[in-house]
Amino acid sequence: DAKTTQPPSMDCAEGRAANLPCNHSTISGNEYVYWYRQIHSQGPQYIIHGLKNNETNEMASLIITEDRKSSTLILPHATLRDTAVYYCIVRVKTGNQFYFGTGTSLTVIP
Amino acid sequence: NAGVTQTPKFQVLKTGQSMTLQCAQDMNHNSMYWYRQDPGMGLRLIYYSASEGTTDKGEVPNGYNVSRLNKREFSLRLESAAPSQTSVYFCASSERLAGTSGTGELFFGEGSRLTVL
């Protein structure tokens, strides 16, 4: 199973772009990268996912490097409500499993 | 549309007692999961069920049993609770693998907060 490495914490000024990195150097060719976030002690919320190409939705953008060994989640205009723990997950091919790491605690500063 | 419903939301047990956490989803998802989250930690997978009739161990299965009762319901049982099982338990479900139709994302319940004294 591919493992992910994320910085434990980051700060971002309100209104600025938040760029959250993730390393997944052992990712396999058909494994997807998923991002989730968890606000307070609620259940995690899906943000975005991708395989090879960069992806964008109404919440965020996902940039995956060409070698697929790392990715970056971009929140284009961070708000205070984006303060949360962000998890980068590589989805294993078999068994439909999701393994969460410890994530990055993002604090958006007014 | 309720999504994923967990019961109970809060429970206090004494060491050695048993209990079952219930989870039901109304999205017709094939796969269901149980995670635990300890204070300041990420989520760890306990058990999962890729489809009705199948269950598999995750990262931390010891001390737990599961039952996939039908497509909607997936229960987690603690046979003899220990203080180390004090945690927040999350149930989740997903539709199918990404690459087919749908995103394959996980949908989570609100969590069940368990304290074992």
Side-chain angles (χ1 to χ4, degrees):
Chain A
D1 300 342
K3 303 299 183 185
T4 61
T5 304
Q6 299 177 253
S9 63
M10 294 180 64
D11 293 336
C12 177
E14 187 177 17
R16 295 294 189 101
N19 296 283
L20 292 92
C22 179
N23 286 318
H24 33 78
S25 59
T26 60
I27 191 170
S28 298
N30 56 357
E31 290 180 316
Y32 291 79
V33 179
Y34 280 78
W35 283 84
Y36 284 76
R37 73 179 182 185
Q38 186 176 28
I39 298 173
H40 298 300
S41 53
Q42 300 174 17
Q45 174 192 21
Y46 166 84
I47 301 173
I48 199 167
H49 78 286
L51 182 62
K52 296 179 181 178
N53 300 321
N54 298 337
E55 302 287 345
T56 296
N57 62 20
E58 65 278 4
M59 292 181 67
S61 295
L62 173 61
I63 308 298
I64 302 174
T65 58
E66 190 170 346
D67 63 7
R68 303 187 71 240
K69 293 182 184 294
S70 65
S71 60
T72 300
L73 178 75
I74 301 172
L75 308 178
H77 305 287
T79 70
L80 299 179
R81 289 176 294 180
D82 291 323
T83 293
V85 177
Y86 288 78
Y87 296 98
C88 167
I89 302 155
V90 171
R91 182 170 185 168
V92 298
K93 180 174 62 174
T94 59
N96 212 20
Q97 303 161 37
F98 283 85
Y99 288 103
F100 288 74
T102 52
T104 295
S105 178
L106 175 68
T107 301
V108 179
I109 303 169
Chain B
N1 191 344
V4 178
T5 304
Q6 295 181 229
T7 56
K9 289 185 169 47
F10 299 93
Q11 183 72 49
V12 178
L13 293 177
K14 295 181 179 178
T15 297
Q17 287 185 318
S18 61
M19 75 158 299
T20 299
L21 299 174
Q22 306 285 355
C23 176
Q25 51 92 8
D26 61 3
M27 296 172 281
N28 201 35
H29 287 168
N30 286 309
S31 301
M32 298 186 73
Y33 311 78
W34 276 106
Y35 288 89
R36 62 176 286 175
Q37 186 172 35
D38 300 326
M41 303 283 288
L43 283 78
R44 291 184 292 171
L45 182 63
I46 305 172
Y47 271 94
Y48 67 99
S49 172
S51 61
E52 186 179 356
T54 68
T55 61
D56 285 286
K57 296 178 180 179
E59 302 172 90
V60 288
N62 291 342
Y64 304 95
N65 287 302
V66 291
S67 295
R68 183 74 182 268
L69 305 171
N70 47 55
K71 192 172 185 179
R72 289 187 65 249
E73 298 173 289
F74 188 39
S75 63
L76 179 72
R77 182 161 179 83
L78 287 70
E79 291 290 352
S80 179
S84 61
Q85 294 178 304
T86 293
S87 192
V88 180
Y89 292 85
F90 288 101
C91 177
S93 69
S94 68
E95 45 182 4
R96 65 187 70 186
L97 287 172
T100 59
S101 58
T103 64
E105 69 184 88
L106 285 171
F107 293 82
F108 281 85
E110 294 182 351
S112 297
R113 284 148 182 80
L114 175 66
T115 301
V116 183
L117 303 175

